[in-house]
Amino acid sequence: MSDHRREPGPAVPPQAPDTEPPALNVDRLLVVTAGSAFATGMPYWVDWIRLSYPDLEIKLVLTRTARRFVTRQALAGRLHRVGEVLFDEWPEDEATARHVEWAEWAQAVMVYPATFHFTARLALGLADSPALLACHCTRAPVAVAPALPPGGLESAAFQTHWAALAARPNLVLVPPHPGISLTTGRAEAWVPPLLPEAVSMLEHRRAELEAGRPGPPATPAQFAADLARS
């Protein structure tokens, strides 16, 4: 069964904090939205990005399962002339390799929300979609913000994937927060943080890479601390 069917979703639209948006010193941002119920909040976050970073160019990529929760039309109208919405697939009639274009175009990549399945495929090095291949091949910083079902964060499989991704110098993992599961109604799911928090961590990793000081691989103790913060 696909992981998107039992992931948590917001009971109300997300609310960004009433503060100045974090710095984001890039001109081009690739956003990958995977098939979590939290994809329903992406129209709100696209509006927030446009208001917070009016000169930012955006390519927003929807995975196949994300299209169950949000439509291309709901997002494309909000981007107007500063970006476009694309599907995570290789069209048969496309003359160029879009994974190469995305990897070279992006100055930063945000996977928000990332499902258990997408995170696992990324950690295992699978490259069966343009977005995955672009994330593997880009030199830009990549932030991954998971949304997980009950038991997802604690599972041995996910912890193995988390540790593998934490060892990649240009990748930063954004720890999820406890949240309500739509399936059980209990506070046992794991939801992505608000987008400003993910942007802040992405910019921090970008600055480290620019300074030639990529973040060191996470140790077991640091991994445990990530889980504790969640």
Side-chain angles (χ1 to χ4, degrees):
M1 177 181 293
S2 299
D3 63 320
H4 67 275
R5 295 187 181 182
R6 291 186 177 274
E7 289 186 3
V12 295
Q15 295 296 316
D18 188 21
T19 58
E20 289 295 317
L24 182 60
N25 294 307
V26 300
D27 299 317
R28 302 186 301 274
L29 177 67
L30 177 67
V31 179
V32 179
T33 295
S36 163
F38 269 91
T40 59
M42 288 310 295
Y44 173 89
W45 287 123
V46 169
D47 286 340
W48 177 82
I49 291 172
R50 289 206 64 221
L51 288 171
S52 301
Y53 313 101
D55 297 325
L56 183 67
E57 293 183 55
I58 305 164
K59 289 186 188 293
L60 197 155
V61 178
L62 296 176
T63 67
R64 178 181 57 81
T65 53
R67 289 148 64 182
R68 291 171 54 91
F69 298 103
V70 64
T71 66
R72 188 179 198 172
Q73 290 81 358
L75 298 165
R78 289 172 161 82
L79 289 176
H80 299 291
R81 290 177 295 277
V82 300
E84 57 184 326
V85 180
L86 301 157
F87 293 151
D88 189 18
E89 58 191 30
W90 283 287
E92 292 183 1
D93 59 348
E94 194 167 60
T96 58
R98 59 172 46 187
H99 55 281
V100 176
E101 291 183 343
W102 295 353
E104 293 185 347
W105 177 87
Q107 293 177 331
V109 180
M110 174 72 70
V111 185
Y112 187 98
T115 58
F116 192 122
H117 187 56
F118 189 96
T119 305
R121 289 159 68 207
L122 186 62
L124 292 171
L126 300 182
D128 55 354
S129 80
L132 280 169
L133 194 48
C135 286
H136 290 312
C137 296
T138 187
R139 294 185 177 89
V142 179
V144 178
L148 304 171
L153 189 65
E154 302 90 343
S155 74
F158 188 82
Q159 292 189 19
T160 298
H161 298 323
W162 185 278
L165 291 173
R168 300 185 186 182
N170 72 321
L171 196 145
V172 60
L173 293 154
V174 186
H177 299 305
I180 303 297
S181 167
L182 287 181
T183 302
T184 69
R186 297 188 294 269
E188 57 188 7
W190 296 95
V191 304
L194 297 180
L195 190 60
E197 181 179 337
V199 168
S200 179
M201 293 185 68
L202 177 62
E203 170 60 20
H204 182 72
R205 180 53 52 88
R206 186 208 63 77
E208 288 180 332
L209 292 170
E210 184 178 66
R213 294 181 288 102
T219 65
Q222 290 169 328
F223 175 68
D226 281 346
L227 296 182
R229 284 201 304 271
S230 299

